[in-house]
Amino acid sequence: MSRPLLLLHNIRLLLTCFSITANALLAGGIFTFPLLSPALAFHLKLTQPQLTTIALLGMMGQYPFAAFVGKIIDEHGPWACSLIASFLFSTGFALFAAEIAKTPDDIRGPSKSSFRTLAACFFMIGLGTVSSYFSALFAASRTFPRYLGAASGITMALFGLSPLFLSLLASRYFTDSSTGLSVTNFLIFLSLASGIIHLVGAFNLRLLKPEHEAESTSEITPTSDDTARLTDERQPLLPNKISQLDVRVMSVGESTSVVQLFKDSHFWFLAFIALIILGSCEMIISNIGTIVLSLHSESTSGVVEPLRLISISNTLSRLLSGPLADFIAPVASDMHDDGPQFPRRYRVSRVALLSGIPLLLVGTFVYMELSVRTSDDLWILSIGTGAAYGTTFTILPSIVSSIWGSRNFGRNFGVLTYAPFFGTPLFSYLYAFVSAHNNVGDGICTGVTCWSLTFWVSTGASLLSCVASTILWRRWKGLV
């Protein structure tokens, strides 16, 4: 490659990496809701079910169109989703801020029209989140295809770092020691910053070709080095006994329809696991603000620390679990009649990592029930939730790609994310109505009874997901 072409390539790579990083860091605006919820409760007089509904619609806004967003990625490339995210973020945050600004401080009860507007805006922001997340994730995986786990893990780590990054900006530039967080100004900042960054991303990520174009180009002009490398990588590294397993695994790049995906019982096991783990974690993330207030009702300053711990543990788990998964279970480079062929030694299934997550949640929830009595004790809940959430989202993409093929990877992963679309409201409304039932006064519910039943139910559900993941571990042994 000539020097000018090499320089151009490096500039393009730098711009792509910048937009991947910036999109991921600005994508987590919905996870700052715990910073907003005290103001919405005290000044807009919103009830716990209403606060849960707004947070829930933000979380759920990520999922209904996930398969559609994945299809856009497959057909047009990450740039299109970055452009969509720019519009959704700038519009959603701006309308949210405008609704809060026009509401007088002396209202005596919650306004139904304000509640509906805020809920609709947060749903729009949630839809922007999945567009931004997919644009960064799939741009990273296409830019560094040889290091899929590391590329996915680092991108997801940046996404997990987003709430911490945004909360630091909120506390440093938009918080006054006497009046607290300036919610309106912070939301205006989010509208402008996320809108501009994702608009820039729409230009930078356009440098990446859609998947089908990249495949056709590589098929037309293979080099002798590529041929030698592929021949070497396809040499059998595992014994033939793998092919005797009664498990249907799609070959790499093989096309499969959604109907075929739904007919696979293993998909439903994986969806159930995602429903329980992600649903319970997102319930905690969206309600950590009121959980803090239930234990320390006289101050809202304690909300920031648990949110930061969730973000940090979420980030570290994504950074560590991606490379770890690549090391113990490399992604298959090809499929032969005698089983999958791996570029490096295969040690332990990635599903083994997935099986440990429900056990982590069980320990976290039992600790919550038996030991947490003040807001200072919530650090175990924050760390456990963040670690479980981050590791799950890091491990799932490579499992989906390995089992059901890479050609419709974006669509298939989007379909799987419908699982938390049902799991998050299930756990969130359980929390909301248990809290409302045990609220003996006005405002936020206080006391352990506000969430005790919720966490016992979550413990039982996590045990069931552990059983399901163990079944998949046994059936996919030696395959993923």
Side-chain angles (χ1 to χ4, degrees):
M1 183 181 292
S2 64
R3 182 170 296 181
L5 289 178
L6 181 61
L7 179 60
L8 179 61
H9 170 77
N10 290 336
I11 292 175
R12 287 184 173 182
L13 183 62
L14 181 63
L15 292 175
T16 299
C17 291
F18 167 78
S19 284
I20 290 172
T21 302
N23 279 15
L25 282 177
L26 270 295
I30 60 169
F31 299 107
T32 62
F33 185 78
L35 300 178
L36 311 178
S37 58
L40 299 179
F42 294 137
H43 300 298
L44 274 68
K45 306 298 188 295
L46 297 182
T47 64
Q48 181 60 63
Q50 288 176 325
L51 291 173
T52 296
T53 299
I54 295 173
L56 182 59
L57 285 173
M59 291 293 187
M60 290 176 62
Q62 302 175 83
Y63 304 121
F65 300 99
F68 177 71
V69 172
K71 192 65 175 178
I72 293 176
I73 293 281
D74 292 334
E75 294 295 329
H76 302 286
W79 71 270
C81 288
S82 186
L83 181 62
I84 293 171
S86 175
F87 169 77
L88 292 171
F89 277 145
S90 59
T91 304
F93 282 122
L95 292 177
F96 202 99
E99 186 62 34
I100 295 175
K102 76 175 187 179
T103 303
D105 294 331
D106 58 350
I107 60 171
R108 297 184 177 180
S111 168
K112 290 184 178 180
S113 61
S114 293
F115 162 67
R116 291 168 182 165
T117 300
L118 295 178
C121 290
F122 227 58
F123 181 84
M124 184 183 300
I125 295 167
L127 183 56
T129 300
V130 70
S131 299
S132 173
Y133 174 70
F134 273 35
S135 71
L137 176 62
F138 290 100
S141 64
R142 292 182 183 183
T143 305
F144 305 100
R146 288 176 176 267
Y147 306 96
L148 180 60
S152 300
I154 292 173
T155 304
M156 291 177 176
L158 291 170
F159 177 71
L161 195 62
S162 179
L164 174 61
F165 173 69
L166 295 177
S167 66
L168 288 174
L169 293 179
S171 60
R172 182 175 181 85
Y173 299 107
F174 300 96
T175 301
D176 184 83
S177 57
S178 58
T179 59
L181 177 67
S182 176
V183 175
T184 302
N185 290 336
F186 179 58
L187 289 170
I188 291 174
F189 162 77
L190 290 178
S191 174
L192 293 174
S194 57
I196 293 172
I197 285 295
H198 285 85
L199 183 61
V200 171
F203 289 97
N204 289 344
L205 300 183
R206 196 177 179 87
L207 301 174
L208 291 173
K209 295 181 179 180
E211 187 77 12
H212 61 278
E213 291 183 14
E215 287 178 356
S216 62
T217 301
S218 62
E219 290 173 1
I220 292 172
T221 59
T223 65
S224 58
D225 290 340
D226 292 334
T227 302
R229 177 179 55 80
L230 291 174
T231 300
D232 179 67
E233 288 183 352
R234 289 175 180 174
Q235 296 303 316
L237 300 177
L238 294 176
N240 282 347
K241 62 182 181 179
I242 294 176
S243 62
Q244 299 173 3
L245 294 174
D246 185 21
V247 179
R248 173 78 169 103
V249 182
M250 307 302 295
S251 64
V252 177
E254 183 177 339
S255 179
T256 179
S257 67
V258 175
V259 174
Q260 289 175 305
L261 192 67
F262 286 165
K263 287 182 179 179
D264 190 341
S265 61
H266 302 102
F267 170 79
W268 293 107
F269 274 99
L270 193 62
F272 176 75
I273 296 167
L275 183 149
I276 299 299
I277 296 176
L278 299 177
S280 58
C281 286
E282 290 188 348
M283 174 270 292
I284 296 168
I285 292 171
S286 58
N287 291 287
I288 191 67
T290 53
I291 292 175
V292 170
L293 294 180
S294 72
L295 299 170
H296 193 57
S297 59
E298 295 182 357
S299 173
T300 62
S301 60
V303 176
V304 175
E305 189 61 28
L307 183 63
R308 289 179 179 175
L309 286 177
I310 290 175
S311 180
I312 292 172
S313 60
N314 187 2
T315 301
L316 291 178
S317 65
R318 293 173 191 249
L319 282 173
L320 296 175
S321 59
L324 177 61
D326 280 348
F327 175 73
I328 66 173
V331 177
S333 59
D334 195 13
M335 294 291 298
H336 282 179
D337 292 337
D338 57 353
Q341 309 302 308
F342 298 97
R344 297 181 302 280
R345 180 187 172 190
Y346 178 94
R347 293 174 174 82
V348 182
S349 172
R350 290 171 184 256
V351 188
L353 294 177
L354 191 64
S355 300
I357 298 172
L359 294 178
L360 172 62
L361 288 179
V362 168
T364 300
F365 296 158
V366 171
Y367 172 84
M368 181 75 177
E369 294 285 1
L370 301 180
S371 301
V372 174
R373 295 298 178 266
T374 70
S375 59
D376 293 334
D377 300 326
L378 287 174
W379 63 275
I380 288 288
L381 178 67
S382 298
I383 293 175
T385 300
Y389 191 71
T391 303
T392 302
F393 263 121
T394 303
I395 299 300
L396 282 180
S398 58
I399 293 177
V400 172
S401 177
S402 297
I403 297 298
W404 291 287
S406 59
R407 180 163 298 174
N408 292 307
F409 171 40
R411 185 205 63 194
N412 292 342
F413 182 64
V415 171
L416 181 64
T417 58
Y418 285 136
F421 174 73
F422 294 101
T424 300
L426 180 68
F427 286 98
S428 294
Y429 277 120
L430 172 65
Y431 171 84
F433 289 117
V434 167
S435 178
H437 177 74
N438 290 282
N439 191 2
V440 295
D442 296 329
I444 300 297
C445 177
T446 58
V448 174
T449 56
C450 299
W451 39 258
S452 181
L453 177 60
T454 302
F455 282 101
W456 280 128
V457 173
S458 300
T459 300
S462 297
L463 288 172
L464 290 177
S465 69
C466 183
V467 173
S469 61
T470 302
I471 292 173
L472 284 185
W473 185 4
R474 291 176 60 88
R475 293 185 179 182
W476 286 343
K477 185 178 180 180
L479 295 170
V480 61

